[in-house]
């Protein structure tokens, strides 16, 4: 593991420039400077709330109103957040790289895609191949618990009563947030794609994740197994740090604009 002096930043920049394929693997820390709370930090969400009460299928079956109240609160909070210099640097690098750089994110906040739109400007749609793989789902999507229909959903949630919770337009079943909860499997197609991209990458740039939640946390290790290397950006060490070629101890918003080509 190494520190964060000018030489390390320069080395990271050179490595990223040289690399033919890069996966940027992000967690909650990349959005911290946008005002989205992380899960495990000092002010993390899991310090104030118990995941078992809010982020499991059992919790939803027990008390869907409470779970929707929490996701409605998070959606309201995230709607007011903007991409920060880290998201923008990644998006800019992606757009200039012609699909050399892919983003795999554990975040459900949509800020990587918003950054792509913001860099593209004039309401232009990001090309499909540059869209981030959101392996834990999206706060802006909902899925019917009865028929499985999934929709884009940016509505304001009224969780004051069971009867006011979102229901399916097709079958009137209860909708749920289309995010991955504890105890649930990730979408296997997305996960396979993420592992393949990581295995083929020369560099996995790991940003703002505690690397504690599996299977996501294993994705950067696929890059090492495939002969590539890790560059980590995080103010704190993580279980991946000892395996990183460069571990840059800093905030994503100040480090990424300095290292991305
Ligand atoms: P965590 O909250 O576990 O970790 C956030 C990481 O970001 C920590 O390692 C911090 O040190 C780091 N960090 C904080 N501020 C930062 C900054 N400005 N720049 C860079 N890094 C910063 O979040 P995740 O690792 O994303 O799962 O958590 C993984 C999963 O656990 C989430 O996707 C969610 C959660 O339960 C599901 O919802 C399924």
């Amino acid at each position: 593991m190494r520190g964060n002096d000018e030489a390390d930043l320069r080395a990271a920049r050179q490595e990223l420039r040289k690399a033919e394929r890069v996966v940027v693997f992000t967690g909650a820390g990349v959005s911290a400077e946008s005002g989205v709370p992380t899960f495990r930090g000092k002010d993390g969400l899991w310090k104030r709330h118990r995941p078992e009460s809010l982020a499991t299928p059992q919790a939803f079956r027990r008390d869907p109103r409470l779970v929707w109240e929490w996701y409605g609160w998070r959606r309201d909070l995230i709607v007011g957040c903007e991409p920060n210099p880290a998201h923008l640097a990644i998006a800019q690098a992606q757009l200039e790289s012609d699909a050399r750089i892919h983003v795999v994110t554990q975040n459900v906040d949509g800020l990587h895609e918003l950054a792509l739109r913001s860099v593209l400007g004039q309401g232009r749609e990001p090309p499909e191949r540059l869209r981030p793989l959101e392996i834990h789902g999206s706060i802006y999507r909902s899925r019917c618990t009865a028929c499985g229909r999934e929709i884009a959903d940016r509505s304001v949630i009224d969780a004051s009563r069971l009867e006011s919770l979102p229901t399916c337009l097709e079958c009137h079943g209860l909708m749920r947030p289309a995010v991955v909860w504890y105890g649930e499997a990730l979408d296997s197609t997305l996960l396979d794609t993420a592992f393949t991209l990581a295995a083929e990458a020369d560099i996995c740039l790991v940003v703002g994740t505690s690397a504690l939640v599996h299977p996501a946390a294993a994705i950067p290790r696929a890059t090492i197994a495939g002969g590539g290397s890790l560059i980590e950006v995080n103010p704190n060490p993580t279980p991946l740090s000892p395996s990183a070629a460069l571990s840059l101890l800093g905030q994503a918003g100040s480090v990424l604009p300095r290292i991305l080509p």
Side-chain angles (χ1 to χ4, degrees):
M1 190 174 95
R2 294 177 54 183
N4 195 17
D5 55 23
E6 278 305 321
D8 290 332
L9 292 172
R10 225 179 7 254
R13 196 176 163 83
Q14 275 167 4
E15 290 305 311
L16 285 162
R17 259 208 196 129
K18 260 190 351 218
E20 273 178 26
R21 292 169 189 215
V22 175
V23 165
V24 184
F25 177 71
T26 65
V30 78
S31 299
E33 291 154 82
S34 295
V36 183
T38 62
F39 293 94
R40 297 178 180 76
K42 180 166 59 69
D43 303 315
L45 293 171
W46 296 152
K47 287 277 178 317
R48 284 177 283 150
H49 308 278
R50 284 156 31 97
E52 312 87 82
S53 313
L54 297 168
T56 64
Q58 294 83 347
F60 190 73
R61 276 197 295 275
R62 200 167 46 235
D63 195 346
R65 204 200 56 73
L66 177 73
V67 173
W68 262 123
E69 187 171 62
W70 193 63
Y71 278 92
W73 169 76
R74 283 181 66 201
R75 193 185 280 179
D76 285 352
L77 187 154
I78 288 168
V79 161
C81 293
E82 297 284 342
N84 67 51
H87 299 107
L88 293 171
I90 296 166
Q92 183 78 46
Q94 274 191 289
L95 286 166
E96 285 168 8
S97 83
D98 193 28
R100 199 172 58 83
I101 304 178
H102 287 96
V103 174
V104 176
T105 187
Q106 298 164 90
N107 300 342
V108 299
D109 58 31
L111 288 175
H112 285 298
E113 180 154 343
L114 205 54
L116 275 172
R117 287 174 190 276
S118 146
V119 173
L120 277 167
Q122 296 166 340
R124 279 161 64 202
E125 283 281 311
E128 193 57 41
R129 65 181 194 284
L130 296 188
R131 290 232 162 96
L133 294 186
E134 296 174 316
I135 57 173
H136 285 169
S138 167
I139 196 100
Y140 296 126
R141 299 189 69 79
S142 302
R143 187 167 69 243
C144 178
T145 53
C147 72
R149 181 169 182 259
E150 194 171 307
I151 56 163
D153 180 7
R154 289 180 173 259
S155 62
V156 174
I157 302 301
D158 176 2
S160 57
R161 293 168 299 123
L162 254 185
E163 298 71 37
S164 63
L165 296 181
T167 50
C168 181
L169 289 176
E170 295 282 323
C171 77
H172 308 293
L174 180 62
M175 298 299 278
R176 57 162 279 180
V179 297
V180 176
W181 284 329
Y182 283 91
E184 291 185 320
L186 279 65
D187 179 290
S188 60
T189 309
L190 277 184
L191 197 60
D192 284 353
T193 309
F195 271 106
T196 304
L197 286 171
E200 290 171 349
D202 303 302
I203 295 183
C204 182
L205 177 61
V206 184
V207 187
T209 177
S210 58
L212 292 171
V213 174
H214 282 267
I219 291 171
R221 296 205 184 273
T223 301
I224 300 179
S229 53
L230 304 187
I231 297 178
E232 185 178 51
V233 178
N234 197 312
N236 301 298
T238 76
L240 287 175
S241 309
S243 311
L246 284 164
S247 193
L248 305 172
L249 297 171
Q251 299 213 315
S254 48
V255 175
L256 289 197
R258 296 164 75 188
I259 63 170
L260 277 168

